């Protein structure tokens, strides 16, 4: 938000693909190749044990991640219980559980680097 | 006179028999059930023109009354052999022996066993039925739940047994999308008050008039389409189904109670296809269907000389394509027997 | 005084080794958590100590467990271990009988033939000479087998033998040389001075016929002593560290010391107790189905020992426990592997705070289906039918808003996050106020038993059904179906539940006996514990497992786990896969 004499102008609501940092996108594509297979059917999210109780949406988190939108990923992924149900329904055989673990790994390593 | 053995009396087998007979070729048509028509016998109306399946079936059957065609109903090949001279020997279950110069595999497809998708509850919950069972309800002009009630909300689930790594079927069965649209319209005609939903991953409207039918379903028949794959279903005390999908276009999980759930079951290669392929040494594609020599120009040829394939033995296809494929196979076989001076 | 300079390498090697071992074991044991150390003090003067002695004799010397898995391999290990042991013991007795004193330097017995070449008259001297020759022959046969195994492992029924590295090969060569050199030294001495028995005496005469023994005999003793000394010096840094460490481990194990979540000195002892026999390579389905050959415990423990990078190998394991069940040393392979998986999820105050206050109906029996069972409604529906048939007052506690049991988090190494989920879940279970907690999922079952502190009695549904039948609350009929039983890893090997499911299955069907019964069951391949392999590889394992069961031509493949059921159904297109609860509900 940019404060402009008492008025605030929202940052653009669109995905700025040119500007977004795609380091995590590349990391996940390399470490979890099956993540590329997602067709966004939402099966994972529909049955999600954590998604049943919160706004956690694993399909959305990984879709946003693929566009370089990783700001909320950390907070969202903390909600996952790693039960693996998503993996069991995925019609594309995406290793969703591994993908989540690797995203968490990436966030943790990068945070260490920043600190 | 040259002689061709056709294994399978579905639409492809019937149409090819007719075309070959017209070319002056003798045909031995082997069908395991007691009538021809194959899976067509299980359908009520066809997409996109809503023609009655039995009418088309009657035409195909009528064509078989030809002096060059010998029909072997209720019979299965005990084995299929190609001799050193290139002839095909097929002993049948009744003890007779067929001998032909060429062989056409028209063994078709089988319907995916929905019980393998356990989370959808087919065979466990009484109000989960398959699209094939729904066709039977259309025949009787009555759609009721197992308890005898008129369903107020019906859900049609796309891609059951197709495009699913979890049942080792990676392929698209092609026809379920349009079948779902057609069936939704037919349900609407019988249940004017009901809410009807289609749950899809992609709407694949590949044929002429299909996209228009999809549009019509939305516009005229008020069918609602939700983009999301069913993850699991549970049953409540009223024997209704509580389903979990994600409404992916909204981006939120969606809970819904249905009175009836219809599974659009996909197509797999039939036992007959696999068995025939095994005995003749035909190559199978990874999806289990017979691998044609070339997907464009030699799509009716197999890796074994003299063995041809037509219809859903080589891939899921609609009736239009199946019949065209049968004619194409017939023309290839005609050329084959002529070139070999049989 | 019996002394010659050549005994020095042996003596120095032996003393250095003993000092090193004392130092190491002290350090490791010191790092145990206090309650584990307490167990040592308690156990030291208990019957367990005697039991351990017997186990050491049976396992470290006779290698009875290896014998059971592979007689040829067992024989090889036995000739080595037991043979060497006898050589030392009989040699020592011989030296004591000769010396008529219990006290003589340790090297005296070892080099007895050098100091007393000829059969001097002392009681039973010829019997001793005969025995010593016999044992030596026994050892030499063992070495021949070991060499053969290295080059033709298939003769031993092993598809693969452990791959060794340069250092290991060096000490292996030293070990292989020790006994042939002893044989030569004794033979040469015998050839010069007489003495020995059927082996060394005859060999001595033979060698003497064409070799200048007077120049060879003394150097041979030097070589023999040097080889021994070198072996002792190399031992702590080689796999032969397992010889002393396995004995220490057997004591600790029998005193009740447990491998916890953390990697500590006890884990170090186990890592060093691995003899690298390679049995785990052959039982591992990642090897047989996916041709993955660098993650098996023998290699994994070696990586830990050598401080090599192992994060990839740590993840690439199904944790099916087949290796653990077949490990002749009984190392806690799963727990050690799990301890090497990093705890990545940062835990803060509001981690999983979204889990609501439990709202469950109170009942005598709480039924917890588990996350996965919601994907196999056949199991849930059958359990509900069984509860109703047996008129049980039950509450389906995770019907709507259940959460995960926490074990999947723990399996990935995230113990902290797992603990929070476990605490929340425990609250929900306690809220039901049930006396019995029944679960359909072996993964949940294992963690309920091991990581929760529940008031309720915890039962897997196979145990519960068995109890209902036994107590007459549930009547079942024997159906005319042939079944094979796939015991889920977490149930059979993981939680020792073997008899309950088999008893139930025998009462409702004709159960075919298979080689995979009980704790020998295969893994379905669907394990959550492995995040390294992809779905294609999991499918391959599932397919191979189904093939193994299909060979018995059953009508139904029966299991007792939603995850196994889903995984096996994926590839079993001809034969239906059912849960035992479904069969019982039908019967």
């Amino acid at each position: 938000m940019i404060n402009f004499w008492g008025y605030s102008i929202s940052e653009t609501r669109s995905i700025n693909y040119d500007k977004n940092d795609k380091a995590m996108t590349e990391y996940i594509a390399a470490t979890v190749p099956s993540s590329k297979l997602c067709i966004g059917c939402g099966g994972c999210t529909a049955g999600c044990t954590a998604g049943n109780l919160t706004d956690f949406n694993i399909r959305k988190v990984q879709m946003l991640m693929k566009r370089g939108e990783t700001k909320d990923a950390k907070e969202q992924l903390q909600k996952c219980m790693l039960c693996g149900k998503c993996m069991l329904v995925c019609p594309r055989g995406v290793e969703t559980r591994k993908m989540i673990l690797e995203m968490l790994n990436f966030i943790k390593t990068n945070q260490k680097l920043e600190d | 006179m040259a002689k061709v053995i056709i294994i399978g009396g579905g639409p492809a087998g019937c149409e090819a028999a007719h075309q070959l007979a017209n070319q002056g070729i003798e045909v031995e048509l082997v069908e395991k059930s007691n009538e021809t028509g194959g899976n067509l016998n299980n359908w009520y109306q066809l997409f996109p023109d809503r023609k009655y399946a039995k009418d088309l079936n009657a035409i195909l059957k009528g064509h078989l009354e030809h002096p060059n065609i010998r029909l072997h109903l209720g019979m299965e090949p005990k084995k299929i052999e190609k001799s050193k001279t290139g002839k095909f020997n097929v002993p049948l279950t009744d003890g007779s022996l067929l001998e032909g110069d060429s062989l056409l595999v028209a063994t078709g497809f089988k319907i995916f066993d929905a019980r393998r998708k356990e989370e959808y509850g087919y065979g466990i919950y009484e109000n989960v039925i398959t699209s094939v069972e729904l066709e039977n309800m259309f025949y009787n002009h009555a759609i009721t739940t197992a308890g005898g009630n008129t369903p107020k909300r019906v859900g049609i689930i796309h891609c059951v047994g197709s495009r699913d790594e979890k049942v080792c079927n990676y392929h698209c069965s092609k026809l379920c999308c349009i079948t779902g649209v057609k069936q939704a319209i037919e349900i609407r005609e019988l249940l004017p008050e009901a809410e009807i939903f289609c749950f899809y991953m992609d709407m694949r409207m590949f044929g002429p008039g299909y996209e228009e039918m999809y549009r019509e379903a939305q516009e005229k028949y008020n069918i609602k389409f939700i983009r999301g794959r069913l993850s699991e279903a549970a049953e409540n005390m009223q024997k209704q189904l509580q389903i979990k999908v994600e409404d992916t276009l909204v981006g939120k999980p969606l809970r819904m109670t249905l009175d009836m759930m219809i599974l659009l079951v996909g197509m797999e290669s039939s036992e007959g296809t696999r068995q025939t392929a095994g005995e003749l040494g035909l190559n199978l594609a990874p999806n289990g269907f017979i691998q044609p020599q070339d997907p464009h120009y030699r799509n009716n040829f197999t890796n074994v000389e003299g063995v041809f394939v037509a219809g859903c033995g080589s891939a899921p296809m609609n009736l239009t394509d199946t019949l065209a494929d049968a004619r194409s196979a017939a023309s290839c076989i005609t050329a084959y027997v002529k070139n070999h001076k049989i | 005084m019996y002394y010659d300079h050549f005994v020095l390498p042996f003596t120095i090697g032996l003393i250095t080794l003993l000092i090193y071992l004392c130092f190491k074991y002290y350090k490791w044991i010191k790092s145990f958590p206090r309650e584990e150390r307490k167990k040592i003090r308690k156990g030291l003067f208990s019957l367990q100590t005697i039991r351990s002695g017997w186990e050491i004799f049976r396992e470290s010397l006779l290698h009875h467990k290896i014998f059971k898995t592979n007689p040829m391999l067992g024989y090889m290990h036995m000739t080595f271990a037991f043979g060497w042991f006898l050589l030392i013991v009989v040699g020592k007795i011989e030296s004591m009988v000769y010396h008529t004193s219990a006290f003589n330097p340790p090297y005296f017995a070892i080099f007895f033939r050098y100091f007393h070449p000829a059969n001097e008259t002392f009681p039973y001297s010829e019997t001793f000479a005969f025995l010593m020759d016999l044992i030596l022959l026994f050892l030499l046969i063992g070495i021949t087998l070991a060499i053969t195994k290295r080059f033709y492992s298939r003769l031993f029924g092993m598809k693969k033998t452990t791959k060794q590295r340069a250092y290991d090969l060096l000490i292996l060569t030293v070990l292989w040389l020790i006994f042939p050199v002893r044989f030569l030294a004794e033979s040469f001495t015998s050839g010069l001075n007489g003495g020995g028995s059927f082996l060394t005496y005859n060999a001595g005469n033979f060698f003497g016929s064409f070799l200048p023994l007077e120049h060879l005999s003394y150097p041979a003793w030097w070589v023999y002593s040097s080889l021994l000394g070198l072996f002792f010096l190399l031992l702590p840094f080689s796999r032969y560290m397992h010889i002393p460490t396995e004995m220490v481990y057997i004591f600790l194990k029998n005193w009740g010391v447990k491998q916890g979540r953390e990697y500590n000195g006890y884990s170090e002892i186990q890592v060093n107790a691995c003899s690298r026999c390679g049995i785990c390579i052959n039982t591992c389905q990642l090897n047989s189905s996916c041709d993955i050959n660098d993650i098996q415990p023998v290699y994994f423990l070696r990586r830990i020992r050598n401080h090599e990078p192992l994060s990839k190998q740590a993840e690439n394991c199904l944790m099916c426990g087949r290796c653990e069940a077949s490990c002749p040393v009984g190392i806690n392979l799963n727990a050690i592997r799990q301890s090497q998986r990093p705890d990545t999820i940062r835990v803060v105050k509001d981690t999983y705070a979204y889990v609501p206050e439990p709202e469950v109906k109170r009942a005598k029996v709480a039924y917890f289906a588990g996350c996965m069972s919601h994907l196999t409604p056949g199991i849930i529906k059958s359990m509900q039918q069984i509860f109703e048939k047996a008129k049980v007052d039950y509450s389906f506690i995770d019907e709507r808003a259940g959460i995960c049991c926490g074990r999947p988090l723990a399996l990935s190494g995230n113990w902290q996050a797992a603990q929070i989920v476990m605490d929340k879940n425990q609250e929900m279970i306690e809220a039901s106020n049930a006396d019995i907690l029944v679960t359909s999922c072996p993964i949940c079952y294992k963690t309920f038993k091991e990581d929760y502190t529940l008031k309720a009695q915890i039962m897997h549904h196979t145990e519960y059904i068995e109890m209902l039948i036994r107590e007459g609350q549930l009547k079942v009929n024997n159906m005319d179906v042939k079944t094979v039983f796939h015991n889920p890893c977490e149930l059979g090997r993981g939680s020792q539940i073997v008899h309950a499911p088999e008893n139930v299955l025998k009462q409702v069907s004709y159960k075919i006996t298979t080689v995979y019964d009980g704790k020998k069951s295969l893994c379905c391949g669907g394990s959550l514990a492995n995040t390294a392999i992809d779905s294609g590889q999991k499918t391959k394992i599932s397919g191979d497992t189904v093939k193994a069961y299909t060979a018995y031509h059953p009508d139904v493949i029966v299991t007792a786990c939603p995850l196994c059921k889903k995984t096996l159904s994926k590839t079993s297109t001809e034969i239906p896969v059912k849960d035992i609860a479904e069969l019982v509900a039908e019967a």
Side-chain angles (χ1 to χ4, degrees), chain B residues 205-234:
Chain B
M205 296 291 129
F206 70 100
Y210 291 10
E211 182 64 25
E212 290 85 339
M213 201 175 185
Y214 176 20
R215 226 184 119 90
E216 209 184 348
Q218 292 174 298
E219 199 174 21
K220 201 169 142 196
Y221 294 93
N222 192 24
I223 312 296
K224 292 165 190 167
F225 290 84
I226 295 180
R227 189 185 177 278
R229 184 179 177 81
L230 178 65
S231 139
E232 63 192 79

Side-chain angles (χ1 to χ4, degrees), chain B residues 118-134:
Chain B
E118 190 179 347
E119 54 267 50
Y120 293 178
Y122 179 74
I124 300 168
Y125 308 142
E126 58 184 38
N127 286 313
V128 180
I129 61 167
T130 65
S131 43
V132 183
E133 287 160 333
L134 183 65

Side-chain angles (χ1 to χ4, degrees), chain C residues 4-72:
Chain C
D4 190 284
H5 286 315
F6 83 81
V7 305
L8 279 178
F10 163 79
T11 313
I12 293 168
L14 184 65
I15 291 168
T16 317
L17 174 68
L18 290 176
I19 292 171
Y20 178 84
L21 289 181
C22 289
F23 167 74
K24 266 286 177 196
Y25 293 145
Y26 174 74
K27 205 182 109 191
W28 283 336
I29 290 172
K30 222 180 131 223
S31 81
F32 287 13
R34 185 181 298 177
E35 61 271 29
E36 300 301 315
R37 280 207 309 265
K38 237 188 236 164
K39 288 181 189 162
I40 301 178
R41 245 169 289 147
K42 258 197 206 150
L44 204 53
F45 301 105
S46 71
L47 215 62
Q48 289 304 326
T49 307
I50 300 167
R51 197 164 292 164
S52 305
W54 169 236
E55 189 179 332
I56 286 171
F57 179 72
R58 223 180 38 208
E59 297 308 331
S60 304
L61 296 177
L62 298 186
H63 291 92
H64 154 260
K65 274 187 200 154
I66 302 186
F67 247 110
K68 274 207 302 198
T69 347
N70 185 335
M72 200 63 165

Side-chain angles (χ1 to χ4, degrees), chain B residues 110 113 115-116 268-271 274, chain C residues 546 550 553-557 568-577:
Chain B
K110 77 163 181 209
D113 177 6
R115 277 172 306 187
R116 288 186 61 211
E268 289 179 334
S269 72
S270 66
E271 282 96 0
R274 284 170 196 255
Chain C
V546 165
T550 310
H553 304 292
D555 299 321
V556 187
I557 297 174
L568 295 177
S569 308
K570 190 175 179 180
T571 52
S572 183
T573 47
E574 306 294 322
I575 301 171
V577 181

Side-chain angles (χ1 to χ4, degrees), chain A residues 39-40 57 59 85 91, chain B residues 165-166 227 229 232 246 255:
Chain A
I39 49 168
N57 184 323
R59 178 192 59 81
K85 238 179 120 181
Chain B
E165 185 265 342
K166 291 294 174 295
R227 189 185 177 278
R229 184 179 177 81
E232 63 192 79
E246 191 204 356
R255 301 285 132 86

